[in-house]
Amino acid sequence: MADACPAASPDTHGVSDARGAREAPLPGLGGLGLDPDDLPDGLVVADENGRVTCFNAAAARITAVAPREALGRSLESALPFEDLEGRRWWPLTDPYGGLTTRIGQPERNLLLPGGREVLVSARYVRERPNGPVRRLVVQLRGTEARRRTERSHAELIATVAHELRSPLTSVKGFTATLLAKWERFTDDQKRLMLETVDADADRVTRLIAELLDISRIDSGRLEVRRQPVDVVAAVRRHIQAYTAAGQPEERFRVEVEDPLPDLWADPDKIDQVLGNLLENAVRHGAGTVTIAVSPALTKARTEGTAVTVSDEGPGIPEESMSRVFTRFWRGSKRGGTGLGLYIVKGIVEAHGGTITVERAVRGGAQFRFTLPVGAPAFLTQG
């Protein structure tokens, strides 16, 4: 591949391509000591006559065109792109004969013969404004990452549709029945129906909140409003809610290592993290659920607080450990959207913390998250 881009070496003054044509070195890259074959994206460069002078290894991989077949040929014959409407791309855009004010083409999906899809963008290099194109630089990317994103979005839509259908059907059915036959039901029957509607409405509300969280995490817009947080008190509140709902008190054990540093975090989001981890331990685990809170060092070796939630259930298979915090991962077939742990990881990382999962000492799953404890900068500035 070394001959595919003559600028790979700063000492190169000219390289013969596979057809014997003498090629000029590509300026810039050689001076930086950078080999175009090291670039993760495809790089194709054509000279002022539209002849290919550089065709790196990534371009060969993405297009399935060998560099020796591309070097020295015109762009149109080396890469005969068509758009999704079947129009030939190079005559359509006319980089050398078109408007002199153009500086390039934005990325778009194009097709090679045989239907291979490639994401293509181009830059027109001119020696002076409105001057002729002296060099055409084309960037190529495969479509695999975009397809994975599209599949993830499709899975999210399918999951949401499935999760919404059941509670909305219940809400619609019970409310329609009550409106049509209110006098026929006893007070106890009415109460049962309304309690079911209330529970299903809560389920829909939680799902919508999860979707909003995912949107903010994916776009990097998850806001963290830091306040002093008593994480031990938050843990005890969650346990009290479980015992009030019928779980035995002895199923939970809280271990606190004092003294704990003052923790500044978003209390609502920390509650969300604790609630999700405890729900996983109660629903999918077994035996005693242990919550340990202790001082710890963060990944950046600064002061932090660590919370560990472990159970005595079957645990998580070793081969699944790397997928626990991805979308739609489910540890069992006991329902749920599979989005909770993905959101938990996003919340912890938005705080600047880390979260891990491993096998607990007694065989169950053990989740541990560590948060930095420093106060916001505006409170520490004197």
Side-chain angles (χ1 to χ4, degrees):
M1 291 292 182
D3 291 343
C5 292
S9 170
D11 300 326
T12 300
H13 298 289
V15 178
S16 297
D17 69 4
R19 305 186 337 171
R22 195 75 172 170
E23 302 293 346
L26 183 64
L29 293 180
L32 295 174
L34 176 64
D35 188 333
D37 283 349
D38 294 336
L39 298 176
D41 293 333
L43 174 67
V44 179
V45 181
D47 63 14
E48 59 189 3
N49 299 312
R51 299 285 174 178
V52 177
T53 61
C54 178
F55 200 92
N56 74 347
R61 172 178 52 81
I62 293 167
T63 63
V65 175
R68 65 177 179 275
E69 297 174 359
L71 286 171
R73 297 173 62 186
S74 68
L75 268 173
E76 186 174 355
S77 61
L79 295 173
F81 288 124
E82 293 184 353
D83 65 14
L84 299 183
E85 297 177 7
R87 297 174 297 183
R88 291 160 54 198
W89 179 243
W90 298 116
L92 183 66
T93 56
D94 193 12
Y96 293 93
L99 294 175
T100 58
T101 55
R102 287 179 181 166
I103 60 173
Q105 292 290 336
E107 185 177 76
R108 64 195 66 204
N109 198 2
L110 299 178
L111 300 174
L112 283 169
R116 179 182 289 266
E117 296 184 30
V118 183
L119 297 174
V120 182
S121 58
R123 173 77 175 179
Y124 304 163
V125 181
R126 306 176 191 271
E127 291 181 349
R128 64 181 187 279
N130 299 323
V133 173
R134 294 302 183 190
R135 191 163 61 252
L136 183 64
V137 182
V138 181
Q139 177 180 303
L140 308 176
R141 294 196 301 131
T143 59
E144 294 83 0
R146 177 174 291 185
R147 289 191 179 279
R148 284 195 296 270
T149 300
E150 290 172 351
R151 283 196 298 270
S152 178
H153 289 165
E155 289 175 2
L156 180 60
I157 291 170
T159 298
V160 170
H162 175 77
E163 292 294 326
L164 283 174
R165 184 182 296 115
S166 177
L168 288 179
T169 299
S170 169
V171 168
K172 178 63 178 175
F174 278 125
T175 53
T177 301
L178 286 171
L179 287 171
K181 304 176 181 180
W182 179 267
E183 301 297 337
R184 300 185 185 182
F185 297 106
T186 65
D187 287 346
D188 287 341
Q189 289 173 325
K190 292 173 184 176
R191 175 178 293 277
L192 178 60
M193 290 184 189
L194 290 173
E195 286 175 346
T196 304
V197 168
D198 184 61
D200 285 335
D202 286 342
R203 182 175 165 189
V204 172
T205 301
R206 284 195 302 271
L207 179 58
I208 292 172
E210 286 183 344
L211 293 177
L212 290 173
D213 285 336
I214 287 175
S215 174
R216 293 179 183 123
I217 290 168
D218 288 347
S219 62
R221 295 185 292 107
L222 187 66
E223 294 184 4
V224 174
R225 296 181 172 86
R226 296 183 186 271
Q227 303 173 35
V229 174
D230 186 340
V231 70
V232 176
V235 168
R236 296 192 187 280
R237 283 198 306 272
H238 281 280
I239 293 175
Q240 186 176 11
Y242 275 109
T243 54
Q247 290 287 336
E249 290 186 16
E250 58 271 17
R251 187 174 183 190
F252 301 94
R253 181 169 66 237
V254 179
E255 300 175 351
V256 180
E257 182 181 331
D258 288 320
L260 291 173
D262 295 333
L263 174 62
W264 286 76
D266 189 315
D268 292 335
K269 290 181 171 54
I270 297 305
D271 262 352
Q272 192 174 350
V273 170
L274 291 172
N276 195 290
L277 295 181
L278 283 168
E279 182 181 0
N280 277 343
V282 171
R283 178 187 294 181
H284 304 295
T288 301
V289 176
T290 302
I291 305 97
V293 185
S294 63
L297 288 178
T298 67
K299 194 174 182 179
R301 310 302 294 174
T302 59
E303 190 178 28
T305 295
V307 179
T308 305
V309 179
S310 56
D311 61 71
E312 299 174 350
I316 298 170
E318 191 69 31
E319 62 272 14
S320 298
M321 289 286 188
S322 62
R323 296 186 287 110
V324 165
F325 297 109
T326 59
R327 289 185 186 182
F328 311 119
W329 183 85
R330 294 179 178 88
S332 71
K333 297 181 180 180
R334 300 184 190 178
T337 60
L339 300 173
L341 290 175
Y342 178 82
I343 294 171
V344 162
K345 183 174 185 287
I347 291 174
V348 170
E349 291 180 348
H351 280 80
T354 56
I355 185 167
T356 59
V357 60
E358 58 187 8
R359 183 167 290 278
V361 175
R362 300 190 180 183
Q366 177 174 291
F367 290 88
R368 175 185 172 90
F369 67 92
T370 304
L371 301 175
V373 299
F378 71 86
L379 292 177
T380 59
Q381 293 173 351

